[in-house]
Amino acid sequence: MPGKNAATGGRDARSLSVRTLDVLGAFGAARPRLTLSELSRASGLSLTTTHRIVIDLVEWGALEEADGGYQVGLRLWEAACAAPRGLALRETALPAMEDLYEATHENVQLAVREGLEVVYVERITGRGAVRVLTKVGGRFALPATGVGLVLLAHAPREVHERVLAEPLRRWTPYTVTDPAVLRKMLAEVRCAGTALSDRQVTEDAFSVACPVRGVGGEVVAALSVVVRSDGPLTPKALAPAVQAASRSISRALGWEPARPAGGRRLLGAS
């Protein structure tokens, strides 16, 4: 069982706060409701310890009882909404995302990087939009998606090396799994300011993504449109719209394009 060692006589050496976070971390998109036994197994804690922690979490509002099990409570959601990269970013980005959706009527996605994964903070989709494997609050590997390519391209070098050192998962026959090819793609994304993920996650879709920048010009998020690979929209046609929307969000966040000595904005700044 995780967290046990000889120095503590076989008892769990994790602090109470860490054990509480382990219980909360058991929940996810694929596991929205868990029983006490399932929470115990997922967190590596005894049933007795898990029960004590769950009681406290229910009393505080972080968990709620539901159908013989537990689910994340509204108070935890309220606390999470205070995250600057969550609700605040989402609310700032929504007007531009809605405009982009009206122009395409396909999936418009906003994501941030968390470690070696993409976390989706907002998505707008229509009834006829192409199917995607992502959802708001969900996580995905960085290399295969358009937003992931943007976020990885602008991540610190140590993040690049960690991702490239691990086996790259193949989702479709088109998924890039060669580290050398991926490294070249990331350089192209940094140079072009736009990423294309062509049928890498599902064979019927491609995505075009651009960076969203913060006040200091740092990439804080990525915006993408996911469309049908056999539809009328092409990457070349989509790129200007995605670039314009990402610039609009960046400006709303306080970013200003770099200006040359003469005072004019540099062409192509994104």
Side-chain angles (χ1 to χ4, degrees), residues 22-267:
D22 286 339
V23 170
L24 292 173
F27 293 92
R31 298 184 296 180
R33 186 177 294 110
L34 296 171
T35 65
L36 188 64
S37 296
E38 289 170 335
L39 283 170
S40 174
R41 288 193 296 271
S43 61
L45 300 170
S46 68
L47 274 172
T48 301
T49 300
T50 303
H51 187 238
R52 287 201 302 266
I53 291 173
V54 165
I55 288 175
D56 289 341
L57 289 172
V58 169
E59 288 181 352
W60 188 78
L63 294 182
E64 298 173 347
E65 297 183 53
D67 299 329
Y70 300 90
Q71 63 187 18
V72 173
L74 284 177
R75 190 165 182 190
L76 188 62
W77 176 80
E78 290 170 358
C81 284
R85 293 198 299 163
L87 184 62
L89 174 61
R90 169 186 173 275
E91 290 182 341
T92 301
L94 266 176
M97 293 180 68
E98 289 168 348
D99 289 345
L100 189 55
Y101 170 76
E102 288 300 325
T104 63
H105 290 284
E106 286 285 0
N107 299 283
V108 178
Q109 304 186 131
L110 182 70
V112 298
R113 181 179 65 85
E114 180 74 14
L116 303 184
E117 295 178 306
V118 167
V119 178
Y120 292 86
V121 296
E122 185 55 279
R123 178 163 70 94
I124 302 176
T125 188
R127 183 176 299 175
V130 66
R131 178 184 64 95
V132 296
L133 302 183
T134 57
K135 61 186 298 184
V136 175
R139 293 172 176 263
F140 214 85
L142 282 167
T145 64
V147 288
L149 287 171
V150 168
L151 294 169
L152 183 56
H154 294 278
R157 180 175 296 276
E158 56 266 27
V159 175
H160 295 179
E161 299 309 320
R162 288 176 62 190
V163 170
L164 293 168
E166 297 181 356
L168 300 174
R169 177 173 176 177
R170 183 181 296 278
W171 297 89
T172 74
Y174 303 97
T175 306
V176 175
T177 57
D178 185 335
V181 174
L182 178 57
R183 194 183 295 274
K184 182 179 178 181
M185 288 176 63
L186 296 176
E188 291 172 350
V189 170
R190 287 191 294 272
C191 179
T194 305
L196 169 65
S197 175
D198 186 9
R199 297 167 291 173
Q200 289 205 69
V201 178
T202 60
E203 293 189 56
D204 59 350
F206 71 83
S207 66
V208 175
C210 292
V212 173
R213 299 183 183 275
V215 176
E218 72 283 6
V219 174
V220 296
L223 177 73
S224 74
V225 174
V226 185
V227 306
R228 300 179 186 280
S229 56
D230 60 353
L233 294 172
T234 65
K236 185 176 180 180
L238 281 171
V242 182
Q243 289 170 346
S246 67
R247 290 192 191 104
S248 177
I249 299 170
S250 298
R251 290 191 178 98
L253 291 173
W255 169 79
E256 285 292 336
R259 295 174 182 268
R264 294 182 180 179
R265 289 178 180 174
L266 294 175
L267 294 176

Side-chain angles (χ1 to χ4, degrees), residues 4-24:
K4 295 189 175 183
N5 55 47
T8 58
R11 294 182 300 175
D12 198 323
R14 289 173 288 178
S15 68
L16 177 59
S17 58
V18 170
R19 284 179 283 176
T20 300
L21 292 172
D22 286 339
V23 170
L24 292 173

